[in-house]
């Protein structure tokens, strides 16, 4: 004679453990799914340069401090301008004006995301600190200040193989750093630059041009030298005290430096879009 089937029940301890495992699994799925907090920090065991961000093109070239360059098209790259003012107690107060860029101190060390990161200060060619906002300070005695923009993964943003940066010279005179003011003329635009010793006025910055636009550079220096426009292979001899004029058509896109050969001074940078 068969015995009637009796309902099978779990022991209380087994039921409690099953409920706990189900709760833990739900919590893990919540954190790793759409409800989890997004993070840009790189995976353990990978370098900053190998972080998960894939913005731009990671170049093999490095800056003076060993940071690799991350290339962007000029139209997408950030820009920076520097204004410096003497501090009442010595040194210089630094103010940055950036475009297509915002400071993200909370995600430093994470992936390289468009238009995000921090700035690094190079004092007389040596890295001296970082800025996580538009204001900073450099001590008295500084002769040259370069501000360079970096991504959160510490790579340096770059255009046409050159870091995105701005440089000002602090040679004891009260510094200012307005961008060169191209003014319209009948044949295009004109930029006037004056060189006195190692001082360039206005301090080196960037001139933005549209492809096909004509530009005239008018340079007045206090010594014999040669002007060179990189990328366009244009040169112009400079005589002391005599304005020299070079006119070109911006028919190549990218970032191009304008400098003097003998003295090695950066006069300005041309950004052609």
């Amino acid at each position: 004679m068969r015995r009637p089937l009796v309902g099978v029940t779990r022991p209380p301890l087994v039921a409690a453990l099953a409920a706990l495992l189900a709760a833990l699994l739900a919590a893990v799925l919540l954190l790793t799914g759409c409800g989890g907090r997004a993070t840009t920090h790189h995976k353990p065991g990978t370098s900053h340069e190998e972080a998960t961000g894939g913005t731009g093109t990671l170049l093999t070239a490095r800056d003076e401090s060993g940071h690799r360059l991350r290339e962007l098209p000029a139209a997408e790259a950030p820009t920076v301008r520097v204004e410096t003012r003497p501090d009442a107690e010595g040194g210089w107060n630094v103010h940055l004006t950036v475009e297509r860029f915002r400071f993200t101190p909370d995600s430093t060390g994470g992936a390289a995301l468009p238009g995000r990161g921090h700035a690094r200060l190079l004092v007389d060619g040596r890295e001296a600190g970082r800025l996580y906002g538009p204001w900073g300070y450099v001590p008295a005695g500084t002769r040259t200040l370069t501000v360079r923009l970096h991504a959160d993964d510490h790579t340096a943003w770059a255009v046409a193989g050159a870091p995105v940066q701005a440089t000002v010279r602090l040679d004891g005179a009260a510094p200012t750093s307005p961008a060169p003011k191209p003014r319209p003329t009948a044949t295009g635009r004109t930029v006037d630059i004056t060189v006195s010793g190692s001082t360039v006025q206005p301090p080196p910055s960037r001139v933005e041009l549209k492809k096909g636009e004509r530009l005239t550079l008018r340079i007045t220096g206090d010594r014999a030298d040669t002007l060179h426009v990189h990328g366009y292979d244009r040169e112009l001899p400079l005589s002391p005290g005599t304005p020299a004029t070079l006119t070109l058509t911006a028919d190549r896109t990218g970032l191009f430096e304008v400098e003097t050969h003998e003295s090695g001074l950066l006069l300005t940078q041309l950004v052609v879009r």
Side-chain angles (χ1 to χ4, degrees):
M1 182 173 182
R2 290 186 178 180
R3 294 181 181 180
L5 293 175
V6 179
V8 178
T9 60
R10 297 181 180 179
L13 179 59
V14 174
L17 288 174
L20 178 60
L21 288 173
L24 290 174
L25 179 60
V28 170
L29 290 175
L30 178 63
L31 289 175
T32 56
C34 60
R37 182 180 181 274
T39 177
T40 62
H41 284 73
H42 60 82
K43 299 177 182 179
T46 61
S47 68
H48 291 305
E49 290 82 1
E50 296 167 340
T52 55
T55 300
T57 302
L58 190 60
L59 306 181
T60 57
R62 298 177 182 266
D63 65 10
E64 306 95 316
S65 302
H67 303 291
R68 292 181 68 179
L69 305 186
R70 188 175 292 276
E71 179 89 20
L72 286 175
E76 301 174 13
T79 63
V80 59
R81 291 192 296 111
V82 184
E83 182 181 3
T84 53
R85 297 179 181 177
D87 184 77
E89 298 182 350
W92 307 83
N93 293 315
V94 178
H95 181 248
L96 308 184
T97 301
V98 295
E99 295 181 0
R100 294 186 293 276
F101 186 82
R102 65 187 179 96
F103 295 95
T104 51
D106 57 333
S107 58
T108 300
L113 300 180
R116 299 171 54 140
H118 57 275
R120 291 181 183 249
L121 303 181
L122 285 80
V123 173
D124 296 332
R126 295 186 177 183
E127 189 170 312
R130 305 179 191 175
L131 288 185
Y132 295 101
W135 288 96
Y137 173 84
V138 293
T142 300
R143 292 174 295 176
T144 302
L145 170 66
T146 296
V147 177
R148 183 173 296 161
L149 296 185
H150 286 252
D152 282 332
D153 70 345
H154 299 284
T155 53
W157 293 116
V159 175
V164 174
Q165 63 185 35
T167 299
V168 293
R169 298 183 183 276
L170 310 176
D171 294 323
T176 56
S177 62
K181 299 292 185 180
R183 52 188 177 84
T185 66
T187 58
R189 297 195 292 171
T190 299
V191 173
D192 292 300
I193 298 176
T194 301
V195 181
S196 178
S198 60
T199 301
V200 179
Q201 290 294 339
S205 187
R206 290 186 174 180
V207 179
E208 296 199 6
L209 302 165
K210 295 180 180 179
K211 185 176 181 180
E213 189 172 0
R214 288 174 62 82
L215 173 71
T216 297
L217 298 171
R218 184 178 299 150
I219 314 298
T220 303
D222 61 350
R223 69 181 70 178
D225 212 322
T226 302
L227 176 77
H228 183 205
V229 182
H230 288 275
Y232 285 82
D233 294 327
R234 296 289 301 276
E235 293 188 352
L236 178 70
L238 304 177
S239 299
T242 302
T245 300
L246 184 150
T247 300
L248 59 84
T249 299
D251 54 4
R252 300 180 186 178
T253 58
L255 185 146
F256 308 96
E257 293 188 342
V258 180
E259 65 175 10
T260 55
H261 267 175
E262 282 72 19
S263 55
L265 298 176
L266 175 67
L267 303 186
T268 190
Q269 293 178 321
L270 309 181
V271 180
V272 184
R273 307 181 193 279

